Amino acid sequence: MCIRDRCRPEEEIRGPRRQGVGGRYRGVMDRPGRAELEAMIEEATVDAYGEDEQRTGLFTMLEEHLDVPFTTTVLGGEVTVRGVDLTPDGRILAVCARGRARQLIGILELPLPAPAPEGAEWIEALRHRAG
């Protein structure tokens, strides 16, 4: 892992990985800290120019790393998150299904199950970036 042009093994930076904790950015803690979230955002947006390209970079990381499908509860009902989508106006949405019904829900508003699916740290990074 390289931070500010200094490369070290990831285990040296984050400590040993704990079994059962998902995601590249999951180390000793269940939720990534502020520095880790900012490093993830930097990784996703390093070559991006402007807000649209930054959002696309973050969406790409989410799409690549989020382990779908998974189930969660929305307004008291269980739904299956089948994927994520990026709208033409730049919103990142979770594609949710319950039976034949489909609903798009803003990724920042999506309640995550416990335990969170692999790659959910990218949702946390989006939430951190949104403030």
Side-chain angles (χ1 to χ4, degrees), residues 48-66:
Y49 297 99
E51 183 67 27
D52 288 343
E53 286 186 19
Q54 290 175 11
R55 191 176 303 109
T56 300
L58 286 161
F59 169 77
T60 300
M61 295 302 260
L62 179 63
E63 186 177 44
E64 288 177 3
H65 295 282
L66 186 62

Side-chain angles (χ1 to χ4, degrees), residues 31-103:
R31 295 180 74 173
R34 179 181 176 164
E36 199 169 26
L37 292 170
E38 290 175 3
M40 291 170 65
I41 293 166
E42 176 65 24
E43 177 184 354
T45 61
V46 68
D47 293 327
Y49 297 99
E51 183 67 27
D52 288 343
E53 286 186 19
Q54 290 175 11
R55 191 176 303 109
T56 300
L58 286 161
F59 169 77
T60 300
M61 295 302 260
L62 179 63
E63 186 177 44
E64 288 177 3
H65 295 282
L66 186 62
D67 189 16
V68 291
F70 65 89
T71 59
T72 191
T73 302
V74 176
L75 296 175
E78 188 174 279
V79 299
T80 301
V81 178
R82 302 251 180 238
V84 292
D85 195 13
L86 180 63
T87 65
D89 64 352
R91 293 180 298 140
I92 299 175
L93 305 173
V95 179
C96 301
R98 182 174 182 182
R100 291 182 149 175
R102 300 282 185 266
Q103 179 72 43

